[in-house]
Amino acid sequence: MQPPTLYAFAGSLNSVFIVVSLFGLWSQLQKIWQRKRDASLAHGKTTDILSINQFTVSFLAYCAFFVYGYSITPFNHYIVWPRLAASLIALAILYEIDCDRRSRTSRNALLACALLLCAGVAGLAFGPTFSDEKRVSSQSLIVAVTVLLAQGYAHQRTRSV
């Protein structure tokens, strides 16, 4: 039996972190559903404290890594499948925010993210992988999304204080 490669070790560690992130997203969605059930009696808003900005940017980050993972050679299962799951959960949270708020901003965020996810899944099904020259563009997208993600977390923190 061969010892695990650095690639497999790093991929496994990354998967552990994304599973923790998935657990957090899933917990948030369950909390929204619980508040929704409780609010049906009190007629309260269930997503008031949540930031559309933060969840949109989180979705973009998960979706960008999802696309990156299948766009590189070799196909990176450690990145693709957990990020697809995270994208779907973040999209469900954006859906709940839109159902709760019924604002133009929430609807636009939901529709834009849904279209991006559809395009990402279509790319997975029908698109080619990137060549090494185009990998720089994909990596630049990841850096830009990371900056937006930090901004989204900062925005969420100011809403909850």
Side-chain angles (χ1 to χ4, degrees), residues 88-100:
L88 290 168
I89 296 170
L91 191 62
I93 291 171
L94 287 169
Y95 172 78
E96 291 297 338
I97 290 172
D98 182 54
C99 287
D100 190 43

Side-chain angles (χ1 to χ4, degrees), residues 2 32-33 36 40-41 54 87 90 108-109 133 141 159 161:
Q2 294 181 341
I32 291 169
W33 289 338
K36 197 176 194 179
S40 65
L41 301 174
Q54 194 268 328
S87 295
N108 289 342
E133 297 81 34
L141 175 64
R159 282 184 57 89
V161 173

